[in-house]
Amino acid sequence: MMFSAKMSHYGMFLLNLVLLALVLPRCLGFSLDGSAGSYAKFPGWEPCLNGTLSFEFQTDRPNALLFYFDSGQKKYLELKLVGGIAKLKVNFGKGLVILSAGSNLNDNAWHKVEIIRNNLDTTLLVDSIEFRRKSLGVDFDSENVTEDRFLFMGGLPEEYDRELSKLSLPSVLFEPKFRGSIRNVFYSNCGALPERPEMIDSQGILDNEADLCEQGNPCLNSGSCLTTDHGLVCDCTRTEFQGERCEIEKIPSDATFLGAQYFSYELISRGDPIVSNSDELKLDFRTKQVNGILFFTGDLKDYLNVAVRDGGIIVTINLGSGAYEAEVRPSHVRFDDGRWHHLVVRREARELTRDKGVCFISVEVDGVHRKSGSTTGQFTLLSSSLLYVGGSPNTATLVGSRVTQNFKGCMRKVRYKADTIDLDLTELAKTDHGLITVHGGVIFNKCQELVESHPITFTTPNSFLTLPTWDVRDRRGSIAFQFQTTESSGVIMYNPGPDGHADFFAVEMLDGHLYMIVDLGEGSKKVKASRHPVSDGNPHEVYIDYQGPQGYITLDGQKESYYTDGKDVDLNLSGIFYLGGISKKHDTSKLPHSMWAGMLRHGFVGCLQDLVVNGNKVDLVATARAQRAQGIAEYCHRMEPQCASHPCMHRGQCVEGWNRFVCDCRSTGFNGDVCQTAATSLRFDGTQYVKVKFPEESSTEAEDISMRFRTMHPNGLLFMTTSDKTSDRMELYLEAGALELRVDVGSGTKELTVGSVLNDDRWHTVVIKRRAQTIELGIDSHRPVTDQLPGQETSLDSNVIYIGSLEPLAAADMGGRVEDLDFRGIKIGHMMLDDNSLGDYSGFIGSMQQFLFNKNAFFELAKIGDIENIVVTARFSTDDYVVRDPVTFKSASAFATLNQLQAYEDFSLSFQFKTTEAYGLLFYNSGRGQDFFAIEMSEGYLYYVYNMGDGSERIRANSKSVLNDNKWHEVKLLRPQTYKQLIRVDDNTPTVDNLQGAHAVNFNLEGHLYVGGVRKTMYHSLPKNIKSRHGFLGCLGSLDLNSYLPQLVKEADTIHESVVEGCKGPTTQCQADSCNNYGRCVQQWNSYNCDCDMTSFEGTTCNEKSTTYEFGPNGGMVILSHPQGKHPNAIRDNLALGFTTRSKDAVLARINSGNYDDYLELELVNGNVFVVYNMGTSDHPIGELFERVNDGKYHIVRFTRNGANSTIQVDNAMMQTKNPRGAQLEVFNDQAEVLIGGKRDKDGNLIKPFEGTISGLVLNSMRILDLAKEGDSRINIQGDVRLKEEESGKKSETHKNRNTIPDESEMQSTMGFRQTTPKLGVTDDIIFSGAGPGCHSDDEDDCTSVGSGTEDDIITPTIIIKTTPAPPTTTTKKPTWKPPCVGSKCPRTEEVMSSTSNRGTSLDPEGNDGSNTGLHPTGETSGGSVANNGGGTPVNIGLIIGIAAGVLVAILILIFALYKFRSRDEGTYKVDESQNFSYLESKKQQGNGALLGKGEETGKRGKKKDVKEWYV
């Protein structure tokens, strides 16, 4: 029995051996070499709800794909080794489940794996280690299974690289191949008994079990050694080398990104994402851009975001539990320096518990700069369904993005590793792998050529560049560029076609959107590339791909395609490729109709860079330099807002441009850059018109039209366009006070109506905007009306524009076409007048200005005659309403009151003013407590003075010069924020008042707002900071108080004295002879003043003697000493004085510096006047060599210095100038003292003293001699100097004491230089205008000229003529003899002959006024007889004869004296040489108006005297 039992067991063993032999080929398994493309293919597994799959494997690789099964319906299983751990990914259609089991499974030992499906539970069993999880979803649907339902072990065939759409998990292609052995593969389909599947196909199966690599690894540079049936193979795929032994270094592929390019993968629609525990990103980058995204991967929740920000590297990671940021920003290194930098980002997650894990992050740049950290959360896996490199469709909204721009620069070696998946993204993009999509034409292997990008800025709409024709002959072409602007419209590029061809290409912006227009000859295709406005100041990337009849434009990653219809498939371009705009020489009327920005004359203003045409970079900076292009800057940066300073005048609307402001002046009466120039106005009477005829028929698809009008008539034609070829028309007219627009472009008429009662005699602004079939009509600030034109036509044909009315012939020729317009006449009051009707059209009666048709200012062009074919029958007018509602304050005590100024917090006040007065109060409003508000003029400048309760403040408005120049000035006072006030005058930089830190920031005003001044009794009680003591004199207009526009005369609560409507200028104006002695006339509002500083005279008209000091023979000086610490520094000096002397060498005046060697000296050298000055470099002499002044006559010297340059003039001689060459110092430093009459040597002794008189000395507006006379403490008088006392007011007394000073007859005269010496017997008095200086009446009517009788501006002079009687004769009667008189009471017998310097008086030997002339003997003449004292004394005949002889002698003496008087030397008169030209007719030297006697030398004037050591 035992034997039989043994035999039985032995039989069973043999049977098993036989069975084993039968199945041995299946049980031995197979080995894969792990090479690229190695795999083993088996039939699909059908687990149903209770199936199993098991096998055994042996390998030394920690990372490898064990098997992958795909149903083709996004249901799959994947088993792989990750770090020696088996990881199973299962998706049965309801979500991904991941299971892990085992460890150190790459130990080259056999390990068994079993996957069990039990209802919803999926179990992974590895060497008895079990991991179970629920996996939702039903089993693989066998009825809908695709033909490719197979199970692959060790890898997948390479054909799937081209058929990714067949895979539910595309990333499986990039899993490492399995190298090792697999055996005992068993399926259990739907709970059936396990069975071994048949291997359908394979590649890389080893027949030789010997491992050749064990003998040594011949692979270099970390290449993997593989044993194959063909021998050893080196796998270099995961290295930077190539070759049989990985011995050759690869040349890495670089990718250039210009801001619009990037590459990506998107797995959401393809299948499941890449899910990983650990990630590693490596890349090299090179950029000069401070911000830009480098890399992004993740989904809506999980993400890894890497970017360059502000020159550093920032990494943001979120695994669903909050964002973590790591930033590498060394203090001394920037990564936007244009150099290559190596970046490594690593993330490693570890599971702490089933629901919590920790994630470690490290960032490393260039192997030196590192940053690391960690974050914890519930999730550790990173799900990568999206991946972007270099950019994204919208980086600004990308999750985790800390930048808004795409990357600009180069990248290479971009490798992303997620667990076992290793993606060489650069290589995949370059080879057009199915996983990666390239957007915008990334440029490969041209980094060195393209990375250096230098931007340019088109600073004006007229700037542009030209390039060669865009080459698209092969139906292929590309253009990439970046632009940046805040301006809404402009032509960016334009390339026309050949003459006679309609082909063209253009890119333009209009109304904030970007358009590409292309025409292949059969109609243009206009592609709107932007979904949102791109005039936002941000960089925008554009890429254009032309592919014949189709192509696309990409804007910031958003792609818009185009397709052209027709037979033409080629784009024929020629000529200039315009960039940034179009030359003015190019006729815009010949541009394509669909180029709206071009037709509207908009040039591009903004930045342009990174221009690449057909893959070739365009050096914009070099191009601009070579073409010497105007208005192009070599930079690109955005400046601060320009409108903050409110630069637009006259209520112009400021619009932010690109690094500039643009003033919209359409609603004002002004034009120009800042609305500073009064616009041309035209007045129409109903029959007058403006006709603009175009040289050729014009066709447009877009129009911008605006105009201003003012009328009192309810009907009238404003403008109309007509065409000779079509019925197209655009008509704008007033109908019953409303504005109506009628447009017909050939497919029907559309009418729009806006406004009402527009015939109110106020200015109204009309704006018309048409874009193809969209038409918009607006009036003033009201919301415009928008509508659509009927039909499909878009072009408006026109060749004539009529404005105001039709010409008579045109009205007749319109014929039936005028039936559409039903003008019935013009209402004037309640009457109907048809005088202005032409045909069925009513002409416009009123004023127009600012007519702009597609930026053509036809009124301005017509006025300057800068356009042909334009006819103007209307009347040009400078409209009085340019300044709105002006009023004139005619008196210094005039004012008006309005309601209280509403200025508690935010407020605005603006006005215009014109004045000649330097002082005056414009506005004042008192308040509670200390609060007040005021604006005043002081010293010619405008001041804003206020108190909000925190102390009084006085702020001067910034202006380049004084404002009392009789010109209009615009003032704006704004409070845009609680803590900021702005006040601006004209286009000057505003003065900003910062209220930060103030305790009180609100006005509490009450009472009236005073305009133009206050009551006289109030000035003494105004706050101290208000300097005005009288009101404003001048014109005030355009008053705007918080948008309240008062008409001051009509709406004022109170008007005091002379406030009248309109601006009435000064009635008294400066004339050529207003001031004597070359005084400067300074215009005031109702008067004028004379500036006498440079005349040596004083008085209201510079005709009065100035203070005079006499310097005696013993020497003396008048010294002005500036107080210590108050020594002025002067870059300019003005010095004038009058003097008489006979000294040849003397110092008249000298200015000394306190601590420097600077000085200025006025002196006489050999009788000539010289000035020497030195500001620290060298002496600069200047003088008059041709006029000797030591002749005892009165002379005037005028000297001016501006820096090192100077002028000097003596009397009326030619002005001498000096302009030293070379570098010169310009400031006279530390002016300490002024010496008059001499100077001191080193020991303090007086040298070169002056002897004579000095009058009216003025230095820099300081009258030093007047200060001396007044006893000023700064003045010290030393030596032989005395004040020359003024003579009595009676001019007859000025001659009584002439004998006390021998040369007094040659002292300063009051005549001045205005007239020549009067002839004997008749003189003219001073021409006097009654409203001259000193007229300060409250009413200008009180300042009229004497005897004028009119209010005209012409000054009517009053001339007083006085005559001198003939010389006296003696009587024929004998005089009565008297005995000689003895005593003090006896009359004087000596006869004094003297002349007077007073005009209008005749010669009087006694100094009288000429009313009593002749010689007076000792006796009295009475009744024609001579009385006898003694009565009875006999007559002495001899005595009588003697007396008669004496009388005869006296008569002869008198006649001789009269003759000598007629020919006397009149050097004591200061004569106006401008009216006496005798000195120009002869070469004789003339002394202040009289010819010298024969004994004086007259022939040596032309020879200069030598100047030697006096200036050394």
Side-chain angles (χ1 to χ4, degrees), residues 21 113 122 169 178 321 352 432 439 690 756 862 877 937 956 1005 1232 1379:
V113 177
T122 299
L169 186 64
F178 177 80
S321 300
L352 301 178
D432 291 328
H439 304 267
V690 175
S756 61
S877 169
M937 289 283 293
R956 189 182 118 174
L1005 303 178

Side-chain angles (χ1 to χ4, degrees), residues 30-40 55-67 79-81 105-106 108-111 152-156 175-183 203-206 226:
F30 56 90
S31 296
L32 291 170
D33 59 17
S35 62
S38 62
Y39 65 93
F55 63 92
E56 297 175 30
F57 70 92
Q58 181 188 44
T59 185
D60 61 352
R61 287 197 169 185
N63 302 312
L65 178 66
L66 291 174
F67 82 85
L79 180 64
K80 62 182 179 179
L81 290 179
L105 301 179
N106 58 324
N108 234 357
W110 285 102
H111 299 279
F152 294 94
M153 284 193 159
L156 272 72
E175 296 287 355
K177 305 301 181 181
F178 177 80
R179 186 182 69 175
S181 301
I182 297 176
R183 68 184 183 187
Q203 184 173 326
I205 299 292
L206 286 172
L226 301 177

Side-chain angles (χ1 to χ4, degrees), residues 938-1163:
S938 181
E939 298 179 340
Y941 293 94
L942 193 77
Y943 287 84
Y944 170 40
V945 194
Y946 70 91
N947 192 336
M948 298 183 189
D950 205 27
S952 179
E953 298 289 342
R954 181 177 176 84
I955 299 170
R956 189 182 118 174
N958 182 40
S959 59
K960 298 176 183 178
S961 58
V962 293
L963 304 175
N964 57 323
D965 53 2
N966 202 23
K967 296 179 181 178
W968 281 106
H969 297 282
E970 184 183 29
V971 180
K972 285 187 178 180
L973 174 61
L974 306 172
R975 190 172 181 184
Q977 302 173 9
T978 302
Y979 294 98
K980 181 182 291 186
Q981 296 184 102
L982 301 175
I983 185 168
R984 181 178 62 78
V985 176
D986 298 332
D987 57 348
N988 296 293
T989 303
T991 304
V992 180
D993 180 27
N994 193 338
L995 301 177
Q996 291 287 350
H999 299 292
V1001 293
N1002 298 319
F1003 277 111
N1004 289 304
L1005 303 178
E1006 59 184 11
H1008 287 94
L1009 171 65
Y1010 286 85
V1011 182
V1014 296
R1015 300 184 186 279
K1016 291 182 179 180
T1017 56
M1018 293 174 60
Y1019 283 106
H1020 72 279
S1021 60
L1022 291 177
K1024 293 182 179 180
N1025 255 353
I1026 300 178
K1027 307 301 181 184
S1028 298
R1029 290 300 173 261
H1030 60 77
F1032 172 74
L1033 276 169
C1035 295
L1036 187 72
S1038 302
L1039 184 58
D1040 185 338
L1041 307 173
N1042 294 321
S1043 298
Y1044 166 52
L1045 312 177
Q1047 293 179 305
L1048 196 61
V1049 173
K1050 298 178 180 178
E1051 301 179 24
D1053 297 332
T1054 304
I1055 293 181
H1056 183 71
E1057 295 193 8
S1058 301
V1059 181
V1060 297
E1061 289 183 317
C1063 181
K1064 300 179 180 179
T1067 56
T1068 303
Q1069 299 178 350
C1070 284
Q1071 303 294 327
D1073 58 351
S1074 297
C1075 300
N1076 294 286
N1077 303 310
Y1078 297 108
R1080 185 173 66 90
C1081 187
V1082 180
Q1083 182 69 56
Q1084 304 296 320
W1085 191 251
N1086 285 330
S1087 61
Y1088 58 81
N1089 288 336
C1090 291
D1091 182 355
C1092 308
D1093 282 358
M1094 300 300 287
T1095 68
S1096 82
F1097 289 85
E1098 60 186 14
T1100 56
T1101 59
C1102 307
N1103 66 339
E1104 298 179 9
K1105 295 182 293 183
S1106 298
T1107 301
T1108 302
Y1109 273 83
E1110 181 180 3
F1111 295 78
N1114 296 323
M1117 290 190 295
V1118 176
I1119 303 173
L1120 166 68
S1121 300
H1122 292 289
Q1124 193 66 30
K1126 296 184 178 181
H1127 295 179
N1129 299 320
I1131 194 172
R1132 298 178 182 85
D1133 286 308
N1134 295 320
L1135 174 65
L1137 57 86
F1139 68 93
T1140 61
T1141 187
R1142 294 190 179 275
S1143 300
K1144 291 180 62 178
D1145 297 284
V1147 173
L1148 286 89
R1150 180 182 174 95
I1151 310 171
N1152 288 326
S1153 174
N1155 298 307
Y1156 301 88
D1157 293 331
D1158 300 6
Y1159 75 93
L1160 187 152
E1161 182 173 296
L1162 171 63
E1163 60 183 335

Side-chain angles (χ1 to χ4, degrees), residues 623-641:
T623 303
R625 291 176 179 174
Q627 297 178 11
R628 297 182 179 179
Q630 300 295 319
I632 294 181
E634 299 177 7
Y635 59 81
C636 179
H637 58 81
R638 187 174 181 181
M639 297 174 60
E640 294 296 322

Side-chain angles (χ1 to χ4, degrees), residues 685-746:
D685 64 0
T687 63
Q688 297 168 326
Y689 60 89
V690 175
K691 176 186 176 182
V692 181
K693 184 174 180 59
F694 302 143
E696 297 180 4
E697 187 86 4
S698 172
S699 183
T700 57
E701 293 184 0
E703 296 88 34
D704 283 334
I705 306 169
S706 63
M707 67 184 306
R708 301 182 79 222
F709 70 89
R710 189 185 70 189
T711 183
M712 297 178 65
H713 300 266
N715 303 322
L717 176 69
L718 292 172
F719 81 87
M720 171 192 292
T721 70
T722 65
S723 171
D724 289 340
K725 298 181 180 180
T726 67
S727 61
D728 293 4
R729 225 175 350 168
M730 180 182 289
E731 303 158 349
L732 181 69
Y733 54 91
L734 280 172
E735 178 73 17
L739 193 67
E740 295 192 14
L741 174 67
R742 184 174 296 181
V743 183
D744 186 352
V745 296

